[in-house]
Amino acid sequence: MEDQKIIKEINRYIKGELGPAEIDELWIEFLKNPEYYEWFETELHLTKLAKDQKSGNIHPLANSKKEQINSLQKYKKWALAAAAVLVLSVGLQIFSLSGEDAIYNQAIASIEYSEMAGADVYRSDDDVTNDLDVIINQGLAYAYNGDEKRAIETFKNILNNNPNKEQRARADMNLGILFYNSGEYSEAVTHFASITENEEVNTFFKEKAWWFLGNAYLNLRELTEARQAVFNAYTLDGRYQSPALSLLKKLDLELGIIPKDPDEN
């Protein structure tokens, strides 16, 4: 779609004027171009805040691409911050019991151990293999052999022995996955969140951490935090973009920040 058409469809979506097929088409466009989703999100929050506060100072989508970009640059940070407050104070009040069950069931049941991070211990003759790299791989072997308790102890010991940032990220990822699979979601959140704050982590690793973090929050029934983490994974435009967008739609519906399909009313 052309930008102007996207803007028009976003306005219609916010007003509840799109049919099911049109909604599906728009979300396909969001998947193709994350920038469109950011336009939608920003304008949606502005519209909801304006309605909630009965204010006439917030204008609808600009009529041109240039005006749209200027509008986003001016309001985006403020709108997202204020919208988070709105969601916390209003959105959580609209849940039904059946709706809760449905959204929480969207979290991934477990994380494959193939997602765990080993260390490269192969070095040239002039290099010295770091002992912690070897220990990381030992912990990984424990997990693969079904000795999760010993694996957890191993990775915790790594964190307590002054690892470099890369080693810390690997240990955090592995602990997050082990705790997630054992149902200890609060512990998993701690380790996945640590990765997202690690400056040495590459985009692929950080995207995975955001995705797993969002699912951990979802299991904890912390939907606002889950949505933000999943959105961060989506914007990194990697392997989790498609499932992240799908979950974003469900979370936005559950939080009441996008309208339901007409046939769901």
Side-chain angles (χ1 to χ4, degrees):
M1 291 186 185
E2 295 180 356
D3 290 347
Q4 289 296 324
K5 185 175 182 181
I6 284 290
I7 293 171
K8 180 179 179 181
E9 293 300 281
I10 287 174
N11 268 317
R12 291 183 61 212
Y13 189 16
I14 291 173
K15 295 175 182 178
E17 297 176 354
L18 294 185
E22 293 173 306
I23 290 173
D24 289 342
E25 183 180 355
L26 184 58
W27 279 83
I28 289 172
E29 293 299 324
F30 290 159
L31 180 57
K32 293 178 180 177
N33 191 336
E35 181 184 8
Y36 291 160
Y37 187 87
E38 292 180 8
W39 293 0
F40 159 70
E41 184 182 59
T42 302
E43 180 60 19
L44 176 66
H45 292 322
L46 289 171
T47 301
K48 288 183 69 66
L49 286 169
K51 181 178 179 180
D52 184 68
Q53 297 173 0
K54 297 182 180 180
S55 170
N57 296 324
I58 303 174
H59 300 287
L61 275 173
N63 293 323
S64 69
K65 177 74 176 295
K66 182 177 180 180
E67 292 173 348
Q68 170 66 14
I69 293 173
N70 289 337
S71 176
L72 286 177
Q73 291 174 338
K74 183 177 180 181
Y75 292 116
K76 185 174 181 180
K77 290 185 179 179
W78 169 81
L80 294 179
V85 176
L86 178 65
V87 169
L88 283 171
S89 62
V90 179
L92 295 177
Q93 301 175 12
I94 69 170
F95 299 152
S96 65
L97 182 59
S98 60
E100 289 181 353
D101 290 342
I103 190 62
Y104 299 140
N105 287 337
Q106 299 301 313
I108 53 179
S110 62
I111 302 172
E112 295 289 337
Y113 283 166
S114 60
E115 300 290 353
M116 296 177 73
D120 180 8
V121 298
Y122 296 101
R123 300 287 188 262
S124 69
D125 294 337
D126 295 330
D127 292 331
V128 177
T129 299
N130 189 298
D131 289 343
L132 288 184
D133 286 340
V134 175
I135 297 173
I136 287 173
N137 287 346
Q138 288 177 339
L140 202 61
Y142 292 143
Y144 273 109
N145 288 326
D147 194 349
E148 285 83 1
K149 182 178 180 180
R150 196 170 182 181
I152 288 173
E153 291 175 354
T154 299
F155 294 125
K156 282 185 173 181
N157 287 334
I158 290 170
L159 294 180
N160 291 328
N161 280 277
N162 298 316
N164 59 40
K165 290 186 177 181
E166 183 178 344
Q167 292 166 337
R168 178 173 295 279
R170 293 176 185 276
D172 276 323
M173 177 64 74
N174 296 342
L175 282 168
I177 291 173
L178 288 164
F179 282 126
Y180 188 100
N181 288 349
S182 65
E184 298 179 66
Y185 301 115
S186 293
E187 290 286 348
V189 161
T190 297
H191 293 287
F192 290 141
S194 176
I195 297 169
T196 67
E197 299 167 0
N198 190 326
E199 296 177 356
E200 298 299 316
V201 172
N202 62 37
T203 301
F204 168 78
F205 210 75
K206 187 162 290 189
E207 180 203 16
K208 182 158 65 171
W210 279 120
W211 172 242
F212 292 157
L213 178 62
N215 280 271
Y217 275 131
L218 186 53
N219 277 295
L220 290 171
R221 273 52 175 175
E222 298 180 23
L223 297 192
T224 302
E225 291 81 0
R227 186 199 178 280
Q228 185 59 56
V230 172
F231 176 72
N232 289 342
Y234 165 76
T235 58
L236 291 176
D237 195 19
R239 93 187 243 214
Y240 296 102
Q241 186 185 54
S242 181
L245 182 62
S246 177
L247 184 53
L248 267 177
K249 181 178 181 182
K250 295 179 176 68
L251 286 166
D252 283 355
L253 285 168
E254 192 69 23
L255 288 165
I257 57 177
I258 63 173
K260 293 183 177 181
D261 294 350
D263 59 355
E264 293 180 358
N265 295 328

